[in-house]
Amino acid sequence: MRFKLLDLSPVARDLLVENMNYGVLVLDERQRVVDANPATRTLLEHSGEIVGLSAVDLFAELAELLTVGEGRIEVVLPPSQRTCEVSLLELDRARTRRGGYLLMLQDISVRKRSEAQEAAETKVRERIWAMENGEDIAMVFRATYGALQSMGLRIAFCSLNIIDDEQGLHRVVNHSFTAA
């Protein structure tokens, strides 16, 4: 005989949603917020009540996605400048007895910064490899020499060893400095 005194499924689901790092919003058919977990308030830096607000008022970029009914976009949240990936799923009316949407927010700021840094490093690497004449390379050496001198290091000779593992390229450039 099975007693249904404690049905843990709803309790476990609530604990999961309330404690996850992803922001979770539930929207009704009119695209208003009917529920939001604490991570959403943290990501939005929203201290007031979110329930009842229009989702489009929270994220203007969401309007187009809501017309499609599901998908994924990236948004920059105004107060914190965090970049979030916003995923929208339409709720199954047959299972939920109501229409609506599930909106999930994942903070991808660290990943975006890493991608931007990698792009900047690639640009620098490409500029170095594009150096065709001695003046371009000498400019890099002069800048390096100036930086080392500002740190109190005395240098008379410098060798620049450029290796591009991706392309299998290797280049060595030497430069002597005259004492000032």
Side-chain angles (χ1 to χ4, degrees):
M1 187 169 175
R2 186 172 171 209
F3 295 101
K4 292 186 178 183
L5 296 174
L6 296 173
D7 186 3
L8 292 180
S9 292
V11 173
R13 187 177 317 121
D14 287 347
L15 280 172
L16 174 69
V17 172
E18 291 297 310
N19 292 300
M20 64 190 324
N21 292 330
Y22 289 80
V24 177
L25 287 152
V26 179
L27 310 177
D28 65 12
E29 291 174 318
R30 290 189 247 163
Q31 303 165 356
R32 292 177 309 199
V33 177
V34 293
D35 196 9
N37 72 344
T40 301
R41 288 177 184 82
T42 300
L43 286 170
L44 296 177
E45 293 185 1
H46 198 284
S47 58
E49 186 57 49
I50 295 174
V51 173
L53 295 178
S54 164
V56 176
D57 289 344
L58 290 173
F59 312 100
E61 301 92 335
L62 200 56
E64 186 177 329
L65 197 57
L66 283 163
T67 60
V68 175
E70 63 181 49
R72 210 173 270 187
I73 59 171
E74 288 181 9
V75 298
V76 176
L77 303 176
S80 64
Q81 293 302 304
R82 292 180 184 171
T83 303
C84 282
E85 182 176 83
V86 179
S87 301
L88 179 74
L89 298 169
E90 192 166 4
L91 297 175
D92 182 4
R93 184 183 286 278
R95 291 185 73 197
T96 61
R97 289 178 261 139
R98 292 186 179 160
Y101 304 90
L102 179 66
L103 194 71
M104 294 186 300
L105 306 167
Q106 180 185 10
D107 187 350
I108 59 170
S109 301
V110 172
R111 184 181 85 202
K112 295 303 276 185
R113 279 192 299 272
S114 177
E115 288 171 357
Q117 182 178 352
E118 187 176 319
E121 289 170 1
T122 298
K123 187 175 180 179
V124 167
R125 194 168 45 247
E126 288 171 353
R127 288 181 67 199
I128 290 172
W129 279 107
M131 290 180 182
E132 296 284 328
N133 61 48
E135 185 55 36
D136 290 338
I137 294 170
M139 180 185 68
V140 172
F141 279 112
R142 282 193 299 274
T144 304
Y145 180 72
L148 292 172
Q149 287 236 311
S150 71
M151 291 188 282
L153 300 173
R154 310 233 356 109
I155 185 168
F157 180 81
C158 185
S159 177
L160 180 62
N161 188 5
I162 306 169
I163 300 170
D164 187 338
D165 288 335
E166 292 176 14
Q167 308 240 342
L169 301 173
H170 183 228
R171 194 172 179 187
V172 177
V173 183
N174 298 310
H175 186 73
S176 296
F177 297 101
T178 56

